[in-house]
C-alpha cells in the first residue's frame, strides 16, 4: 500500500512531486565504484561547462523556477540540487554519507532537481510552514520553515527542497526509504517520469531493494 502523501491546497498548482518508495534497501558506508562514478560525472560537468555559473547549466533553471513559484529567492535559499552543482563546478568533491544518500545525490545532480530522501511516519503532506515551525537539520542547527514549503509527517516537519532533518535522515540501518523529487508545476510529466526511471534504477543498482510504489503528485 502506498504511503499517504498529499500536497496542501495552498501549494497546488505551484509544485509537482515525483515519489518513490523503496523497501529492502541496504545502504553501506561507502562503495569505491559509486564514488568513482560520482567523480567521473563531476569531471564531465566541468568539461562541458568550464566557465558556466550554476544557474547557466541546463536544467538548473527549473529548480529556480520552482523556488520563485513558492515565494523563495533561489539566490538566498538555494535548491539542494544547485548546491551540489556549485560544489562540482568549483572542483570540490561531493559529500559522502552512505551509498543510498550518495546515489540519490548523484541522481539529483543529473536531473538538476532537488530531492528528499527520508524515513517517515505517515501521513505526509507538503504545505506551508506554520508560525514558529522548524526542525533540526542534518549537520546544522534548527531549520526555520515558517512560511516556506515543508514536508510534515505524523511527528512533525522534516524536510524541504533545500535540506532534510536529522530525525528522518537515512543511515546504514535503514531498510525502507521515501524519495521525493521536487519540480515546478509546469514540469513535463514525461521528463519527471524519466527522472524517476533513472533514480529507481540507480538506487536499486547501488543499494538493492525493490520499488514498492511510484507516482506523481498532482
Amino acid at each position: 500500500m502506498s504511503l499517504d502523501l498529499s500536497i496542501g491546497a495552498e501549494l497546488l498548482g505551484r509544485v509537482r512531486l515525483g515519489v518513490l518508495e523503496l523497501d529492502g534497501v541496504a545502504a553501506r558506508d561507502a562503495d569505491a565504484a559509486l564514488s568513482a562514478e560520482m567523480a567521473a560525472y563531476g569531471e564531465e560537468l566541468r568539461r562541458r561547462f568550464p566557465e558556466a555559473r550554476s544557474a547557466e547549466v541546463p536544467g538548473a533553471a527549473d529548480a529556480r523556477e520552482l523556488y520563485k513559484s513558492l515565494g523563495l529567492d533561489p539566490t538566498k535559499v538555494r535548491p539542494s540540487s544547485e548546491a551540489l552543482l556549485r560544489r562540482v563546478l568549483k572542483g570540490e568533491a561531493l559529500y559522502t554519507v552512505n551509498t543510498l544518500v550518495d546515489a540519490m545525490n548523484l541522481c539529483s545532480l543529473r536531473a538538476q532537481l532537488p530531492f528528499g530522501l527520508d524515513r517517515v511516519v505517515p501521513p505526509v503532506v507538503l504545505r506551508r510552514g506554520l508560525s514558529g515551525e522548524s526542525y533540526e537539520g542534518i549537520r546544522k542547527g534548527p531549520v526555520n520553515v515558517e512560511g516556506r514549503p515543508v514536508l510534515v509527517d505524523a511527528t512533525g516537519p522534516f524536510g524541504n527542497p533545500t535540506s532534510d532533518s536529522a530525525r528522518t535522515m537515512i543511515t546504514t540501518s535503514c531498510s525502507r526509504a521515501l524519495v521525493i523529487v521536487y519540480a515546478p508545476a509546469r514540469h513535463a510529466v514525461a521528463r519527471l517520469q524519466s527522472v524517476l526511471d533513472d533514480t529507481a534504477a540507480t538506487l536499486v543498482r547501488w543499494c538493492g531493494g525493490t520499488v514498492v510504489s511510484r507516482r506523481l503528485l498532482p
Side-chain angles (χ1 to χ4, degrees):
M1 182 179 295
S2 296
L3 178 145
D4 183 358
L5 194 155
S6 61
I7 299 175
E10 72 276 17
L11 295 181
L12 286 174
R14 298 173 182 266
V15 61
R16 173 167 285 154
L17 301 180
V19 183
L20 293 173
E21 294 175 58
L22 295 98
D23 196 15
V25 295
R28 290 160 287 127
D29 288 329
D31 186 292
L34 174 56
S35 296
E37 184 170 322
M38 295 167 68
Y41 189 67
E43 291 177 4
E44 178 185 341
L45 284 173
R46 288 188 292 273
R47 185 171 61 253
R48 290 170 57 195
F49 310 107
E51 304 298 331
R53 294 180 299 172
S54 57
E56 298 169 347
V57 173
D62 288 342
R64 288 194 167 208
E65 177 189 338
L66 168 65
Y67 270 46
K68 290 174 182 176
S69 73
L70 296 172
L72 302 175
D73 183 345
T75 65
K76 295 180 180 178
V77 183
R78 294 194 185 278
S80 58
S81 50
E82 187 172 345
L84 294 172
L85 180 59
R86 284 167 61 86
R87 285 190 63 85
V88 165
L89 292 180
K90 289 190 292 185
E92 299 175 1
L94 295 180
Y95 297 112
T96 57
V97 181
N98 58 57
T99 53
L100 188 53
V101 174
D102 296 349
M104 184 208 68
N105 283 340
L106 176 60
C107 293
S108 179
L109 189 61
R110 288 196 293 233
Q112 270 310 290
L113 290 172
F115 279 44
L117 179 66
D118 304 277
R119 299 178 298 171
V120 299
V121 182
V124 176
V125 61
L126 177 69
R127 60 162 171 79
R128 292 278 186 192
L130 304 178
S131 176
E133 278 193 316
S134 66
Y135 56 78
E136 198 71 17
I138 299 174
R139 295 190 301 270
K140 62 179 70 175
V143 175
N144 173 37
V145 294
E146 180 177 340
R148 298 180 176 182
V150 61
L151 287 165
V152 183
D153 70 358
T155 304
F158 68 86
N160 65 32
T162 298
S163 62
D164 289 323
S165 72
R167 172 174 68 86
T168 62
M169 70 180 182
I170 296 296
T171 67
T172 53
S173 66
C174 174
S175 63
R176 189 175 179 91
L178 171 69
V179 180
I180 295 180
V181 185
Y182 302 88
R186 69 163 190 84
H187 202 76
V189 168
R191 182 173 174 223
L192 192 51
Q193 291 285 16
S194 179
V195 169
L196 290 184
D197 287 342
D198 175 69
T199 303
T202 301
L203 296 187
V204 170
R205 176 187 173 200
W206 292 111
C207 303
T210 304
V211 176
V212 295
S213 177
R214 167 187 170 140
R215 58 204 147 121
L216 300 183
L217 293 175

